[in-house]
Amino acid sequence: MPDHPACQQILTALTDAGRPMRARDLCEALDLLILPKNTESIRCKLKRLVTRGILTESERGLFTQPRT
């Protein structure tokens, strides 16, 4: 699991939601203002987590934890 606090928060929010989420949904879950800089920052982190195999992108812009 990534050590960066923001990544930990994203993973926790996805676990708590129990469903795939978009960057905007995660901004709301993390109490961030819905601003382009925030959604792009979250989206960038999500894409990085997908690249590392920690998350999957089930459809464009929709992120979830892989089924185990």
Side-chain angles (χ1 to χ4, degrees), residues 24-35:
R24 180 183 175 101
D25 300 329
L26 281 159
C27 283
E28 290 176 358
L30 299 173
D31 292 325
L32 298 173
L33 295 174
I34 307 301
L35 298 172

Side-chain angles (χ1 to χ4, degrees), residues 3-51:
D3 293 333
H4 194 280
C7 292
Q8 296 281 355
Q9 291 172 331
I10 288 170
L11 294 174
T12 299
L14 280 167
T15 300
D16 291 348
R19 63 177 174 81
M21 296 179 81
R22 299 190 180 278
R24 180 183 175 101
D25 300 329
L26 281 159
C27 283
E28 290 176 358
L30 299 173
D31 292 325
L32 298 173
L33 295 174
I34 307 301
L35 298 172
K37 70 176 185 173
N38 290 340
T39 54
E40 286 305 314
S41 173
I42 293 294
R43 186 175 290 111
C44 180
K45 288 176 180 67
L46 289 166
K47 293 282 190 180
R48 194 172 308 126
L49 291 169
V50 168
T51 301

